[in-house]
Amino acid sequence: MVAAIATAVVSLPGVAAAFGPPPGAELSVEKLQRIDDFFNGEIAAGKIPGAIVLIQRRGQPVYFKSFGKRNVDTGVPMTTDSIFPIHSVTKTITSVAAMMLVDRGKIALADPVSKYIPSFAAMKVAVERKDERGKPVLDLVPPGRPVTIEDLLLQTSGITYGFYGEGLAKSAYEGIYLGDFDNAEFAERIAKVPLTGQPRTLWDYGHSTDVLGRVIEVASGQSLYQFEKTQLLDPLGMTSTKFFLTDPAERARYAWPLPKDRHVERNSLDVTRWESGGGGMVSTITDFARYAQMLLNGGTLEGKTYLSPATFAAMTTDHIGPGSGVERNYFYFPGDGFGFGYGFGIRTDPGNAVPPPPGSPGEIKWDGATGVYLVIDRAQDMFFVLMENTPSERVRIQARLKKIIYDAFSK
């Protein structure tokens, strides 16, 4: 299946002329200095505490700077070894780890999740309707087919987040985070709440990748972190990427948000048993430089292959576009012009905005709740990473940074 998908991938140079910078466009280092003015202005206005930006092209950094403070309370400056919560960018790492197991024949995309978590065989789909008095009620109906590993990767499982949107199915997630639990117990909690839709009918952001983390544990015989550490993180040299910070020296490097943004329920300074594959990791800019370069290379780095060419192609192909039967609701986070692959947003077209948002065909991206932002532009042999802990300002800052970068390309 992976090989069949790979043959359908359009070569990036052939489609690059549709929008975005022309192939081989010059990137003006002088124009990239506008990034300095932007971030220094945001910090001076008290909107963000600090940030780090890395732009790397053709294997070499073309822009790499730190701004502001790691902790505004203590006045410690931002340094390149600062450790940031990456929240949902964790999903990309979990997805890569899962696809490594697909490559090894340990799991298959078509496998039902119940093969690894038996309680999923009894899951039901919530259908909300009004009773005779007009009061909303839930009917529970069988799924048309089992939730599969591919559904978890695509966020089309019907497993959602309970903290955005409305409805009785969403409210069923109330209390799901209470207490201390590990990945196995959390998967059992998910198995007890209804799916919000039939599998592969709606892209609905949620705990799919957390469940995928438990599948990795069952298939590998290791904890999620131990599998990722031994098979992906350590080989890549990502020594600061983990779920919890227990070493005092590492805890001191944690990048804090402004006081107004310190309302996230969990962070990696609070050590629990839950290794959230959907949002629980921390990392550094130097670790992500390694990870991003591996993705830019198509799944390899320094002679080591992490993902086969066919598997990488499958991961970075849109699987939910026209003809897939998958709908998009108001909370379609990949955004205008993007489809979705296995764990990443994939740029498929210019989108509806005029002019189109910046970027290139085939762009691979994702971001997290604190503003960490990863963009892989294979058409330009470039990636950029933004590290910040700025929940309330992140969307605006990400958009502005991306515009500055792409405005620096020659037309």
Side-chain angles (χ1 to χ4, degrees):
M1 180 178 180
V2 168
I5 293 170
T7 61
V9 178
V10 179
S11 69
L12 291 175
V15 296
F19 63 94
E26 180 183 349
L27 181 62
S28 168
V29 174
E30 181 180 357
K31 290 181 179 178
L32 290 177
Q33 302 313 307
R34 297 169 184 169
I35 298 171
D36 297 38
D37 295 337
F38 173 64
F39 279 98
N40 287 330
E42 294 292 309
I43 292 163
K47 294 182 178 180
I48 68 171
I52 308 177
V53 177
L54 168 65
I55 307 168
Q56 187 155 304
R57 193 180 192 207
R58 299 170 182 151
Q60 298 297 322
V62 294
Y63 184 97
F64 187 19
K65 290 187 181 179
S66 302
F67 301 93
K69 306 295 184 184
R70 187 161 70 201
N71 186 330
V72 295
D73 296 341
T74 62
V76 173
M78 187 69 74
T79 54
T80 55
D81 65 347
S82 298
I83 298 176
F84 292 81
I86 65 172
H87 285 266
S88 282
V89 184
T90 304
K91 290 180 173 67
T92 72
I93 295 174
T94 307
S95 299
V96 167
M99 294 304 288
M100 292 173 71
L101 288 172
V102 170
D103 258 341
R104 299 172 188 184
K106 297 293 187 181
I107 62 177
L109 295 175
D111 282 344
V113 175
S114 59
K115 177 178 177 180
Y116 307 93
I117 309 170
S119 55
F120 268 64
M123 291 196 80
K124 303 293 185 184
V125 177
V127 179
E128 188 167 326
R129 62 177 176 84
K130 299 287 182 66
D131 65 13
E132 60 276 4
R133 294 172 296 177
K135 182 180 178 181
V137 295
L138 274 187
D139 290 333
L140 299 180
V141 302
R145 63 157 176 77
V147 176
T148 66
I149 301 302
E150 189 174 26
D151 292 323
L152 297 180
L153 285 157
L154 291 177
Q155 301 288 320
T156 57
S157 64
I159 299 167
T160 190
Y161 281 135
F163 51 74
Y164 70 87
E166 299 176 345
L168 295 178
K170 292 275 187 179
S171 64
Y173 282 73
E174 185 176 351
I176 203 165
Y177 300 119
L178 294 177
D180 191 14
F181 47 85
D182 60 12
N183 283 357
E185 183 179 339
F186 190 71
E188 294 304 316
R189 293 184 180 193
I190 293 294
K192 290 181 172 64
V193 298
L195 302 174
T196 58
Q198 290 287 347
R200 202 66 62 85
T201 61
L202 177 68
W203 192 94
D204 194 357
Y205 206 42
H207 287 294
S208 289
T209 320
D210 289 314
V211 175
L212 185 64
R214 176 56 184 162
V215 170
I216 290 171
E217 292 184 335
V218 175
S220 70
Q222 297 177 276
S223 73
L224 177 59
Y225 177 59
Q226 282 303 315
F227 177 78
E228 292 177 338
K229 176 177 168 61
T230 58
Q231 303 302 311
L232 180 64
L233 302 175
D234 282 357
L236 278 173
M238 297 174 68
T239 56
S240 296
T241 304
K242 54 191 64 177
F243 287 100
F244 301 108
L245 297 176
T246 56
D247 180 83
E250 287 188 325
R251 292 171 69 89
R253 289 159 50 199
Y254 187 81
W256 286 90
L258 294 174
K260 67 175 182 176
D261 278 336
R262 295 176 191 176
H263 51 72
V264 178
E265 294 98 339
R266 295 172 180 265
N267 67 55
S268 294
L269 301 178
D270 300 325
V271 181
T272 69
R273 293 184 297 135
W274 186 32
E275 296 177 353
S276 170
M281 295 192 110
V282 295
S283 192
T284 62
I285 193 77
T286 50
D287 278 14
F288 254 67
R290 304 278 297 172
Y291 180 58
Q293 188 64 54
M294 181 271 289
L295 294 171
L296 182 60
N297 293 349
T300 67
L301 187 68
E302 296 173 351
K304 182 173 176 59
T305 297
Y306 296 88
L307 298 164
S308 70
T311 294
F312 180 82
M315 287 196 78
T316 56
T317 297
D318 175 29
H319 298 286
I320 64 166
S324 67
V326 177
E327 296 182 2
R328 306 175 181 187
N329 62 14
Y330 176 80
F331 299 104
Y332 181 69
F333 294 121
D336 186 31
F338 282 85
F340 200 72
Y342 298 146
F344 297 91
I346 309 297
R347 187 74 180 266
T348 56
D349 56 80
N352 297 315
V354 179
S360 294
E363 174 192 327
I364 306 162
K365 64 115 180 189
W366 207 241
D367 67 283
T370 51
V372 172
Y373 188 29
L374 170 67
V375 173
I376 312 292
D377 186 337
R378 300 190 75 209
Q380 293 298 331
D381 194 11
M382 178 188 78
F383 71 79
F384 71 86
V385 181
L386 165 64
M387 288 283 184
E388 60 175 347
N389 193 349
T390 315
S392 62
E393 302 288 344
R394 66 185 178 94
V395 174
R396 179 180 59 82
I397 289 171
Q398 289 166 357
R400 180 61 179 153
L401 172 63
K402 191 174 188 183
K403 186 176 189 309
I404 293 172
I405 292 171
Y406 280 88
D407 280 351
F409 278 102
S410 59
K411 301 298 190 259

